[in-house]
Amino acid sequence: QGKSLYLKHCQSCHMENGQGLGQLFPPVSNADYVNIHSDELACIIRYGLEGEITVNGVTYNEAMSGNRQLSDIEIANLTYYILKELNDIEKPYSIAEIRLQLDRCK
């Protein structure tokens, strides 16, 4: 489910393989930002992100809209896909951990 959610909600900006779009949209695949901020991914997915960020040494400053319609379980599956499949990070979050992340970002 994580991959299909990614393709539906994320690929239009971050591209099919997560490589990003030049200096407009950052990569989410092999991205140092994802590793450093893995415990914020649920909040970023749901509520978006504004302000300047640096990913793999490149600065980005385009606002990212959130996906408030996604359920907690869908965000957990999407987070797993981004971490495991796009970044080879073995750091799965349980649904309880995703809910804790989401509670902290409200």
Side-chain angles (χ1 to χ4, degrees):
Q1 186 188 32
K3 182 176 183 175
S4 66
L5 288 165
Y6 177 84
L7 294 174
K8 181 176 181 181
H9 298 284
C10 309
Q11 83 161 345
S12 61
C13 295
H14 297 290
M15 306 283 74
E16 183 176 353
N17 296 316
Q19 73 269 23
L21 184 59
Q23 300 227 321
L24 192 56
F25 299 113
V28 293
S29 176
N30 300 312
D32 60 356
Y33 189 90
V34 170
N35 191 25
I36 295 166
H37 299 276
S38 63
D39 62 343
E40 299 169 30
L41 287 181
C43 294
I44 294 169
I45 291 167
R46 175 155 295 156
Y47 298 109
L49 188 64
E50 289 187 21
E52 191 173 275
I53 63 168
T54 302
V55 181
N56 298 342
V58 178
T59 301
Y60 297 88
N61 198 11
E62 289 291 324
M64 175 185 144
S65 60
N67 292 282
R68 293 177 186 245
Q69 76 282 6
L70 295 176
S71 71
D72 295 355
I73 293 170
E74 289 172 320
I75 290 175
N77 288 332
L78 186 51
T79 300
Y80 177 81
Y81 176 75
I82 291 169
L83 290 172
K84 175 71 173 116
E85 299 302 321
L86 298 181
N87 289 279
D88 199 29
I89 297 171
E90 291 286 342
K91 195 175 191 178
Y93 289 107
S94 69
I95 188 63
E97 291 169 316
I98 292 295
R99 287 182 174 140
L100 284 173
Q101 284 185 30
L102 292 169
D103 285 344
R104 285 194 306 256
C105 61
K106 291 182 179 175

